[in-house]
Amino acid sequence: MGFLAVDRKIATIPQEVIARANAKLMDAHLADYDALAARLVRVNIDIEDLVEKLMAFSVGLPSWGMVSGGTRYARFPLPGEPTNVFEKVEDCSVVNQLAGLTPRVSLHFPWDKCDDYEALRQYTQTLGIGFDAINSNTFQDQTGQKRSYKFGSLSHSQLATRQQAIEHNLECLDIGKKLGSKALTVWIGDGSNFPGQVEFTDTLERYLESLRTVYGQLPDDWRLLIEHKMYEPAFYSTVIQDWGTSILCAQALGDKAQCLVDLGHHAPNVNIEMIVARLSQFGKLGGFHFNDSKYGDDDLDSGSINPFQLFLVFNELVSAEKRAERTGTRFTPSYMMDQTHNVTDPIESLLNSARAIAGAYVKALIVDRDAMRAYQEDNDVIMAHNCLRLAFESDVRAALAMARVRMGGAIDPIAAYRESGYRAHKADTRKARTELAGGIV
């Protein structure tokens, strides 16, 4: 049994392994699918339409999410985890092969630097996947770096440090062009830890001045995605701390600048779904980093803590899609994951997350929006709310599984993955990562 990709845009895991795993479950799967189809017919929904939309739906994988993450205190390496970008992409192809909904990889630099980007692009194409937004990193100092980002990067008080951060983002832009990406995501950790440390207005002005240089180099078909975060690593103030500052900066920069929403980058109990509605209403919702959180920016598996919120986010996204169809406007946010996996196999966590995200999407598709609108106009609170609750409580797993099967994936992705022995094989053939120090990635 081989595990190297062959020249057919596929097969990191042998397809016969998936076929054998599916054969064990096929009868029960088809029975569940028929039962769901019959139930949906009663509410005038064609299950085939849902499956078709699911097969067209996709979410990008984080390259950095393919390795064991960590906390501030420790990191516990996983046998067989990737040690370079080629191996990360190979693991991403496993997720896509089994889940069928994750055909893009989002890279992070300088973590994913390599010597030959054309070879990386060709290898990725061989695996049947492509690249999503490129992510820059000016929140860490790198080996050989001349100037430190300890006190900021794009908003630093010193021009030379800001210029270094600008040049790094331009380098990321050049790499993205070589790989076929169409977006640059910029998140900075700039801020302050003490009152009086910085002038709030000055730091934002310097940030905008720096980003204007980067924005000016964007190709016409690219987007600049501004990512906000409430706190951390700065704990008193953050330069781009919320969606309000993000949209103001995006509006100041121009049409190619949009906002990226990370589900973990908000205060507890913030109404993220309303943020999604506001940004999409004004044409500035550019992308998503899907994850989940319990206490802060935990980067937990999507839907593992608050699946109802994930569904409510997709309810707003589907509403925005339908609004764009009615008005003839363009609505194409980039959906990506941003997770760190401390105690699980990253591939298994990402398979679960792909299922949760796709499940939230299809549940949002079956919301009876006409009925909900009528209840809203009549101020019938319970019935309007129940339109959402009924969709959320629906068991749509059979539709998700059918979409996966028709795309060559697995009815039960984790079972097929474990049956393949992929992780054990990679533990035997890959160089081990031995660093044990703390750190998220």
Side-chain angles (χ1 to χ4, degrees):
M1 182 183 295
F3 288 88
L4 292 178
V6 298
D7 189 16
R8 69 165 264 262
K9 294 185 184 297
I10 44 87
T12 317
I13 289 178
Q15 202 64 29
E16 60 266 24
V17 172
I18 299 175
R20 283 200 305 270
N22 284 349
K24 301 174 187 177
L25 304 172
M26 188 59 70
D27 288 345
H29 160 61
L30 292 176
D32 291 343
Y33 186 76
D34 289 342
L36 177 59
R39 186 175 64 78
L40 290 174
V41 164
R42 294 199 297 269
V43 290
N44 300 315
I45 296 175
D46 185 346
I47 193 172
E48 289 295 321
D49 289 341
L50 294 181
V51 173
E52 184 177 336
K53 288 179 179 178
L54 273 170
M55 292 174 67
F57 175 80
S58 64
V59 58
L61 294 169
S63 66
W64 59 97
M66 306 314 298
V67 301
S68 295
T71 68
R72 289 163 186 78
Y73 306 102
R75 178 184 178 277
F76 304 96
L78 176 74
E81 67 181 351
T83 60
N84 58 60
V85 66
F86 286 86
E87 293 176 350
K88 291 177 183 178
V89 165
E90 184 182 24
D91 283 5
C92 287
S93 75
V94 172
V95 178
N96 185 52
Q97 189 180 359
L98 293 168
L101 303 169
T102 57
R104 301 181 309 280
V105 184
S106 189
L107 300 186
H108 213 300
F109 293 99
W111 296 339
D112 291 325
K113 274 192 171 183
C114 72
D115 294 329
D116 190 339
Y117 292 108
E118 180 57 32
L120 177 61
R121 182 173 184 173
Q122 290 179 3
Y123 177 65
T124 305
Q125 289 174 340
T126 298
L127 294 172
I129 52 180
F131 292 102
D132 212 308
I134 299 297
N135 297 260
S136 62
N137 180 340
T138 61
F139 52 87
Q140 290 178 322
D141 288 347
Q142 307 296 329
T143 302
Q145 183 176 311
K146 291 183 178 180
R147 297 181 178 274
S148 174
Y149 296 132
K150 180 177 181 179
F151 297 112
S153 58
L154 293 173
S155 71
H156 198 282
S157 60
Q158 297 178 359
L159 176 61
T161 304
R162 298 200 300 275
Q163 186 60 38
Q164 177 180 271
I166 291 170
E167 290 171 359
H168 169 65
N169 277 278
L170 293 177
E171 179 188 19
C172 290
L173 189 59
D174 288 339
I175 293 171
K177 292 176 185 176
K178 295 175 183 176
L179 295 175
S181 176
K182 296 294 182 182
L184 172 67
T185 297
V186 179
W187 174 74
I188 59 170
D190 296 23
S192 66
N193 282 283
F194 290 89
Q197 180 180 336
V198 300
E199 290 288 341
F200 296 150
T201 302
D202 291 349
T203 56
L204 189 60
E205 286 180 348
R206 291 195 293 262
Y207 169 84
L208 278 170
E209 180 184 19
S210 298
L211 265 196
R212 285 191 181 98
T213 301
V214 177
Y215 183 89
Q217 297 300 312
L218 285 178
D220 290 340
D221 58 347
W222 272 61
R223 292 184 293 178
L224 177 66
L225 303 179
I226 300 172
E227 183 175 1
H228 61 273
K229 185 177 182 180
M230 183 186 68
Y231 75 100
E232 195 186 40
F235 284 92
Y236 173 64
S237 71
T238 301
V239 175
I240 308 297
Q241 85 284 3
D242 59 22
W243 74 276
T245 303
S246 179
I247 194 172
L248 287 172
C249 291
Q251 290 171 335
L253 289 170
D255 292 340
K256 291 182 287 186
Q258 294 182 307
C259 306
L260 184 142
V261 176
D262 185 305
L263 292 184
H265 285 189
H266 306 83
N269 301 317
V270 163
N271 192 329
I272 300 175
E273 56 268 31
M274 190 169 70
I275 294 172
V276 172
R278 294 288 186 264
L279 291 174
S280 61
Q281 183 175 359
F282 290 91
K284 284 299 184 180
L285 182 62
F288 252 98
H289 276 175
F290 289 112
N291 50 46
D292 214 332
S293 65
K294 177 64 176 176
Y295 300 106
D297 183 25
D298 306 320
D299 280 345
L300 303 177
D301 295 9
S302 298
S304 62
I305 301 296
N306 194 345
F308 189 56
Q309 182 185 58
L310 182 61
F311 161 74
L312 292 175
V313 165
F314 268 101
N315 178 60
E316 295 303 328
L317 292 171
V318 169
S319 178
E321 285 179 358
K322 293 183 178 298
R323 187 180 303 110
E325 291 172 1
R326 291 195 303 270
T327 60
T329 55
R330 183 175 172 82
F331 181 71
T332 56
S334 183
Y335 299 143
M336 298 168 282
M337 298 185 212
D338 179 6
Q339 301 178 183
T340 183
H341 312 103
N342 304 331
V343 295
T344 61
D345 182 327
I347 288 177
E348 294 188 354
S349 273
L350 289 165
L351 287 171
N352 263 356
S353 294
R355 183 179 66 179
I357 293 167
Y361 173 58
V362 75
K363 288 178 180 181
L365 289 173
I366 65 175
V367 172
D368 189 339
R369 296 183 184 278
D370 291 337
M372 186 167 64
R373 176 60 64 88
Y375 291 133
Q376 290 169 345
E377 291 177 354
D378 287 341
N379 294 308
D380 192 334
V381 178
I382 283 294
M383 294 306 295
H385 172 68
N386 280 352
C387 286
L388 295 179
R389 288 300 298 259
L390 289 172
F392 173 69
E393 292 168 358
S394 298
D395 185 350
V396 297
R397 288 177 295 173
L400 302 181
M402 184 60 80
R404 291 194 296 268
V405 168
R406 291 182 182 175
M407 298 174 76
I411 295 173
D412 185 337
I414 290 180
Y417 169 68
R418 291 188 174 188
E419 184 174 330
S420 76
Y422 179 84
R423 179 62 66 190
H425 177 78
K426 291 305 174 186
D428 290 338
T429 58
R430 284 178 178 171
K431 179 182 177 181
R433 289 179 60 134
T434 58
E435 63 268 34
L436 297 174
I440 298 300
V441 292

